[in-house]
Amino acid sequence: MAPYASDDSTTGGEADERRSGRRKAARYVVPVTVMGVAAATIGLVPALADSGDPDLPKITAQQLIEKIAKSDVQQLSGTVKISTDLGLPDLGGLESSLMSGAAGQGEGGSSADPTAKLTELASGTHTLRVAADGPDKQKLSLLENAAEYSLVHNGKDVWGYDSKSNEVYHGTASESPAHEREQPPATPKDFAEEALKAVDDTTSVTVDGTAQVAGRDAYKLVIKPKQSGSTVGAVSVAVDAETGMPLKFTLTPASGGAAVVDAGFTQVSFAKPAASTFDFTPPKGAKVTEEKDFEGKSPERKASGKADKDAEVREHAPKSGDDLGKGLDGMKTIGEGWNSIATFDTGGEGMPSGEAGGDLGGFVDSLGDKVTGKFGSGTVFSTRLVNALITDDGKVYVGLVTKDALVKAADAGK
């Protein structure tokens, strides 16, 4: 780890070492994975107001980062509250409808398929119950109105259960090729390391006092971009003073307002959960979908009325799947640190817009902002965190940066 500029802050970077011996655990099953995925992409933060500021020994930013790295919590149970506000366009309920539709149309059309079910966490506020006993036993339950969705990993078995539809999804931790993909963080240590990968010379890291989280004393670590032009305001991590485990995370945008992602334990215990916590038997009468039955298959298209609209999309889409694949293979990164922008050429004709794009063009225009520059013209699609520019000639620029930064990058590419 690079030396720090002072006892209270750092601009040095932590080496991005590959963790050896990563277990090929099931993709969805570690209770902290939900927070880990967010930390790996946009960071997370304390969701609830601090209930007190405990008097703890002084600690430097470097020491606190090292404390997180050394944390090795294997057993826990508790309740997590997650709120996400990406500021997606108001589509008259379309967003929630799409989320609900995805939840019922997973790999094989099972509402219990974790692939689709956990996408619900990308929007709104949710309460989760979590439990873990080492790398081979985890449970996550998503509490809903008069229903519950549970995901259980016990040894080689992975079970998803949707009580509302009485459907069960069964897979294994090693048989599916999909499990061979790079896994999301599987422990508190993992997702903390993911969040800290952004720490380099473009970053300020400080210890900002203490807090009490879920009844436990914690230090507050604050990570901020030094550069202007990023949509990220700050990432705050509340770190358990005893174990070094992150208890709460918050990402606030540079534009101000509510946090983009708020996640934190409201109750936590590090005692060993009862073995029965991880037992699962499909309820009587439940429809059971086996993961292996749907490997390599896509759900059939259902609504015949979509044909005309799909034809219009294809007309303006990249010329072939191969073209898009080539564009992704040619992806490169420009800029550095928090101002990094990913760019690639789809090989297509960009997004339909205006009268020439017909009804779809008008719809696209309503979601994005038209921009022009040396590169020509294009459309910027914005959230409170991620912005993307798609030029009329099919080039894509995306990053945690402002609209102006994307236009500048596109101009520089000419």
Side-chain angles (χ1 to χ4, degrees):
M1 181 176 295
Y4 287 78
S6 71
D7 285 343
D8 293 322
S9 65
T10 179
T11 58
E14 181 183 20
D16 184 12
E17 298 179 358
R18 286 283 183 184
R19 292 182 291 276
S20 61
R22 176 183 288 273
R23 291 180 177 269
K24 293 277 195 269
R27 346 170 224 189
Y28 321 106
V29 294
V30 179
V32 296
T33 289
V34 173
M35 290 178 288
V37 170
T41 55
I42 56 177
L44 297 172
V45 239
L48 305 178
D50 299 329
S51 58
D53 295 329
D55 185 14
L56 296 173
K58 293 292 184 181
I59 191 171
T60 67
Q62 180 180 6
Q63 290 170 336
L64 188 52
I65 290 174
E66 291 173 347
K67 191 175 186 70
I68 295 172
K70 293 176 182 177
S71 178
D72 189 28
V73 174
Q74 296 288 319
Q75 300 170 334
L76 66 86
S77 59
T79 303
V80 176
K81 181 178 179 181
I82 298 179
S83 296
T84 307
D85 181 9
L86 289 172
L88 297 174
D90 183 3
L91 303 181
L94 178 59
E95 177 189 348
S96 59
S97 297
L98 290 173
M99 289 296 182
S100 298
Q105 296 295 327
E107 281 178 27
S110 172
S111 66
D113 175 13
T115 307
K117 190 65 180 181
L118 296 185
T119 61
E120 294 182 13
L121 298 176
S123 177
T125 298
H126 304 274
T127 299
L128 309 174
R129 282 202 298 259
V130 299
D133 184 8
D136 297 323
K137 291 184 178 182
Q138 299 94 24
K139 182 176 182 179
L140 178 152
S141 296
L142 173 60
L143 307 184
E144 303 171 315
N145 292 331
E148 181 175 319
Y149 174 78
S150 294
L151 190 59
V152 181
H153 173 212
N154 193 342
K156 291 184 178 181
D157 290 307
V158 179
W159 298 96
Y161 175 59
D162 185 353
S163 67
K164 186 176 182 179
S165 63
N166 197 30
E167 292 191 27
V168 174
Y169 188 84
H170 178 235
T172 66
S174 59
E175 290 182 359
S176 171
H179 294 154
E180 300 300 316
R181 297 194 301 253
E182 180 73 11
Q183 301 298 317
T187 67
K189 176 181 177 181
D190 287 341
F191 72 76
E193 287 175 346
E194 292 290 347
L196 290 169
K197 284 182 179 179
V199 177
D200 58 17
D201 291 339
T202 68
T203 308
S204 167
V205 182
T206 60
V207 177
D208 186 25
T210 64
Q212 192 169 72
V213 179
R216 297 187 64 86
D217 294 346
Y219 293 101
K220 294 190 293 184
L221 187 71
V222 177
I223 303 168
K224 292 182 178 181
K226 283 188 169 184
Q227 305 158 299
S228 61
S230 174
T231 55
V232 177
V235 174
S236 175
V237 183
V239 183
D240 185 64
E242 180 181 349
T243 67
M245 174 178 161
L247 297 175
K248 287 188 180 181
F249 310 83
T250 303
L251 173 81
T252 52
S255 59
V260 173
V261 181
D262 243 13
F265 281 94
T266 58
Q267 181 276 324
V268 65
S269 168
F270 296 117
K272 179 183 177 70
S276 60
T277 302
F278 311 102
D279 292 339
F280 182 82
T281 301
K284 184 177 181 179
K287 175 186 175 183
V288 180
T289 299
E290 292 290 339
E291 179 184 42
K292 62 183 179 181
D293 294 339
F294 296 96
E295 288 177 7
K297 298 181 181 180
S298 298
E300 295 181 358
R301 302 175 60 79
K302 294 185 177 181
S304 59
K306 294 173 63 180
D308 292 339
K309 181 63 71 177
D310 290 344
E312 188 175 357
V313 171
R314 287 195 298 271
E315 179 182 349
H316 296 277
K319 297 174 183 177
S320 72
D322 289 339
D323 286 335
L324 179 57
K326 290 175 182 176
L328 294 175
D329 288 341
M331 182 182 294
K332 62 180 181 179
T333 302
I334 55 179
E336 64 176 352
W338 299 86
N339 286 0
S340 296
I341 297 173
T343 179
F344 62 93
D345 190 340
T346 66
E349 299 176 358
M351 297 295 293
S353 64
E355 295 182 2
D359 292 340
L360 181 58
F363 179 68
V364 169
D365 287 347
S366 71
L367 299 180
D369 297 324
K370 293 296 294 182
V371 293
T372 58
K374 296 177 182 178
F375 66 89
S377 60
T379 305
V380 173
F381 300 91
S382 301
T383 70
R384 299 177 67 213
L385 192 69
V386 180
N387 290 322
L389 165 62
I390 303 179
T391 67
D392 289 348
D393 60 356
K395 294 182 176 62
V396 178
Y397 299 84
V398 61
L400 304 179
V401 298
T402 63
K403 178 173 68 175
D404 290 343
L406 292 177
V407 172
K408 184 177 180 181
D411 281 343
K414 298 305 291 183

